[in-house]
């Protein structure tokens, strides 16, 4: 049985949205630390925000209310990103048509759920206090919030959950420790690697990012010279001299973080557009215009994703004695083709036949806490979190092996963010896990190719596999 206490419902207000949708905005309070709930004072609680959505009632109201629909909770990818409003989500109508009422939760620290920013984090107190506070923002705490909300919202009924990427990681944690609250689980690019530290994740990530770089330069061979021209310009007066509209430093290494987009549908094209804009500015004017700088700034902006930057590696740390210790930086030393100085030592020319410079991918590096304006304010705290090694467990393989909750997952063979082989290893360890595997969809398919991927995953549940 769950040891979690129900969340306190603070307010619930509804409105109608286009598409015949009824949106309800929910505010809840939960303990800051579920493992040590003390008083209900503001210092010991967090406010959580979620939006639910149902089909709006028809103009002719029936004499008796319709039966309550089963709940489906959506867990957003991240860590550290809020949900879009339901009326702007491409999956909403599809899931409503399947007979659910949906709950889109801003996970703790995101959106309107007691958001964590540099200023709100510093309000918590000294660095020791901030570090202890941040360790409460991983999957283990998030699923306890979910259980608390379930108990308050559904009167104890089980609900379904749908996890995208990191939301899927949270779902595996949910299956491990609170399966009694779950009716069924759907995962999209979210079969959590069952690892203790991030090192193996990054050892597999760098080769995948290299493959996406090869695909990029194969599609846009002219960008080999363009990227080198841009990096030469950025380094001409010293890395970081050029400032972005947000106030951050446009260093060469920060520019190469544009490769984060390579893992999504249309990602190669979006990076090319920025490279073309920047190279054209340099050719025409000898400098980057405001429009080009804004394009770079908006494409990869970790200032608005503080939790992502600090916790992206610790979300893989499970159990005592395991720490992140800037895993991406350490593992990069095993892949010299991603070391900027070695790449840029090659003479620059415009020939598309010369060795291209590799963009990075979903990696968090310690230097980001110098190049990004907001991240600078929490650099010392980020360092202490990176060295923290007293983490709680994030999964229970024994429980997963005897799982009885139906689980259906999409695994993408060309996923740049969540390694396919590690995903399949996880699937094999979860009893009853059914997988829709594809090599034609990328990690963001639940947004970019929603009908196709939903059909594949729900087909696992609704159809018979002989």
């Amino acid at each position: 049985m769950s040891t979690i206490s129900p969340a306190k419902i603070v307010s619930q207000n509804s409105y109608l949205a286009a598409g015949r949708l009824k949106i309800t905005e929910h505010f809840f309070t939960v303990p800051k630390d579920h493992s040590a709930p003390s008083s209900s004072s503001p210092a010991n609680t967090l406010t959580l925000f979620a939006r639910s959505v149902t089909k709006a009632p028809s103009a002719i109201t029936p004499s008796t209310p319709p039966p309550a629909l089963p709940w489906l909770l959506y867990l957003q990818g991240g860590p550290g990103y809020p949900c879009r409003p339901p009326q702007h989500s491409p999956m909403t109508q599809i899931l409503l048509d399947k007979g659910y009422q949906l709950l889109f939760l801003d996970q703790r620290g995101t959106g309107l759920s007691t958001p964590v920013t540099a200023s709100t984090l510093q309000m918590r107190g000294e660095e020791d206090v901030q570090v202890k506070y941040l360790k409460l923002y991983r999957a283990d705490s998030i699923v306890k919030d979910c259980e608390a909300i379930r108990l308050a919202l559904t009167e104890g009924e089980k609900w379904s959950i749908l996890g995208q990427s990191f939301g899927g990681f949270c779902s595996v944690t949910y299956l491990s420790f609170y399966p009694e609250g779950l009716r069924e689980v759907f995962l999209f690019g979210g079969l959590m690697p069952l690892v203790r530290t991030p090192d193996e994740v990054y050892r597999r990530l760098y080769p995948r990012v290299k493959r996406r770089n090869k695909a990029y330069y194969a599609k846009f061979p002219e960008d080999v010279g363009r990227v080198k021209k841009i990096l030469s310009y950025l380094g001409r007066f010293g890395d970081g001299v050029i400032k972005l509209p947000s106030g951050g430093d446009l260093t060469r290494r920060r520019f190469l973080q544009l490769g984060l987009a390579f893992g999504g549908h249309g990602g190669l094209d979006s990076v090319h557009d920025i490279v073309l804009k920047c190279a054209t500015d340099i050719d025409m004017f000898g400098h980057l215009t405001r429009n080009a700088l804004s394009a770079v700034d908006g494409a990869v902006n970790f200032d608005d994703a503080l939790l992502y930057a600090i916790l992206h590696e610790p979300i893989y740390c499970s159990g005592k004695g395991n720490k992140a210790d800037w895993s991406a930086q350490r593992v990069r030393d095993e892949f010299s083709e991603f070391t900027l100085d070695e790449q840029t030592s090659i003479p620059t020319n415009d020939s598309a036949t010369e060795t291209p410079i590799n963009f990075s991918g979903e990696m968090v590096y310690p230097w980001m806490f110098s190049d990004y304006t907001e991240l600078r304010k929490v650099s010392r705290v980020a360092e202490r979190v990176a060295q923290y090694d007293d983490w709680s467990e994030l999964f229970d393989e024994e429980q997963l092996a005897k799982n009885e909750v139906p689980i259906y997952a999409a695994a993408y063979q060309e996923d740049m963010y969540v390694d396919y082989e590690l995903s399949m290893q996880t699937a094999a360890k979860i009893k009853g896990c059914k997988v829709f595997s594809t090599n034609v969809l990328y990690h963001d398919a639940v947004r970019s190719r929603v009908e196709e991927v939903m059909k594949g995953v729900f087909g696992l549940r609704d159809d018979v596999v002989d």
Side-chain angles (χ1 to χ4, degrees), residues 244 250 254-255 258 274 278 291-301:
L244 291 163
L250 181 50
R254 180 167 176 174
F255 182 83
L258 290 171
I274 296 174
C278 291
N291 287 344
L293 293 172
S294 294
V296 175
D297 210 6
V300 184
N301 188 354

Side-chain angles (χ1 to χ4, degrees), residues 4 71-72 76 89 96-97 109 112 148 165 188-189 191 200 210 246 253 267 285 292 295 307 320 351 379:
I4 304 299
W71 282 97
L72 186 146
Q76 169 71 21
S89 172
L96 289 178
D97 288 342
L112 300 182
S165 191
F188 293 84
L191 279 164
E200 181 61 21
K210 185 177 180 179
S246 63
R253 59 197 181 188
F285 310 113
L307 280 179
K320 298 181 183 299
S351 171
S379 59

Side-chain angles (χ1 to χ4, degrees), residues 25 93 104-105 183 265 300 317 356 380 398 465:
E25 298 169 337
Q93 287 289 356
F104 290 74
L105 172 67
R183 178 189 300 108
H265 289 279
V300 184
C317 294
R380 290 169 55 179
E398 184 177 336
V465 179

Side-chain angles (χ1 to χ4, degrees), residues 180-328:
E180 66 274 10
L182 302 176
R183 178 189 300 108
E184 57 188 351
V185 175
F186 302 96
L187 305 180
F188 293 84
L191 279 164
M192 170 188 183
L194 301 183
V195 296
R196 296 289 175 181
T197 72
D199 288 11
E200 181 61 21
V201 171
Y202 283 109
R203 285 195 179 93
R204 293 168 178 265
L205 174 60
Y206 278 104
R208 294 200 309 277
V209 176
K210 185 177 180 179
R211 289 198 296 271
R212 293 302 291 161
N213 271 277
K214 290 180 68 174
Y216 174 75
Y217 286 116
K219 185 172 185 178
F220 303 108
E222 300 86 357
D223 285 1
V224 173
R226 288 175 179 141
V227 169
K228 291 195 172 187
K229 177 183 297 183
I230 295 164
L231 296 186
S232 176
Y233 167 78
L234 294 178
R236 185 181 307 165
F237 306 108
D239 247 353
V241 170
I242 297 173
K243 304 299 178 183
L244 291 163
S246 63
D249 300 341
L250 181 50
T251 57
R252 294 173 300 160
R253 59 197 181 188
R254 180 167 176 174
F255 182 83
L256 292 176
Q257 285 192 301
L258 290 171
L260 179 63
F262 282 171
H265 289 279
L268 303 183
D269 294 2
S270 67
V271 174
H272 167 70
D273 289 344
I274 296 174
V275 167
L276 181 61
K277 183 186 295 288
C278 291
T280 301
D281 271 3
I282 294 170
D283 287 341
M284 285 185 175
F285 310 113
H287 70 276
L288 297 178
T289 64
R290 170 69 184 228
N291 287 344
L293 293 172
S294 294
V296 175
D297 210 6
V300 184
N301 188 354
F302 290 97
D303 284 329
D304 294 332
L306 191 99
L307 280 179
Y308 181 98
I310 296 177
L311 293 180
H312 186 263
E313 292 190 355
I315 65 172
Y316 295 102
C317 294
S318 186
K320 298 181 183 299
N322 298 307
K323 61 182 179 180
D325 191 22
W326 302 115
S327 178

Side-chain angles (χ1 to χ4, degrees), residues 129-194:
V129 177
Q130 294 177 39
V131 172
K132 292 178 181 178
Y133 184 69
L134 286 169
K135 77 175 187 177
L136 300 174
Y137 282 81
R138 302 192 311 151
D140 51 334
S141 295
I142 292 170
V143 300
K144 292 172 183 175
D145 290 342
C146 296
E147 265 298 272
I149 292 174
R150 179 185 70 85
L151 294 171
L153 206 58
T154 74
E155 299 181 348
E157 291 294 320
K158 293 182 179 184
W159 61 7
S160 304
I161 59 174
L162 189 157
Q164 152 70 6
S165 191
F166 173 69
F169 293 17
C170 294
S171 301
V172 174
T173 301
Y174 210 149
L175 274 173
S176 292
F177 301 111
Y178 300 99
E180 66 274 10
L182 302 176
R183 178 189 300 108
E184 57 188 351
V185 175
F186 302 96
L187 305 180
F188 293 84
L191 279 164
M192 170 188 183
L194 301 183

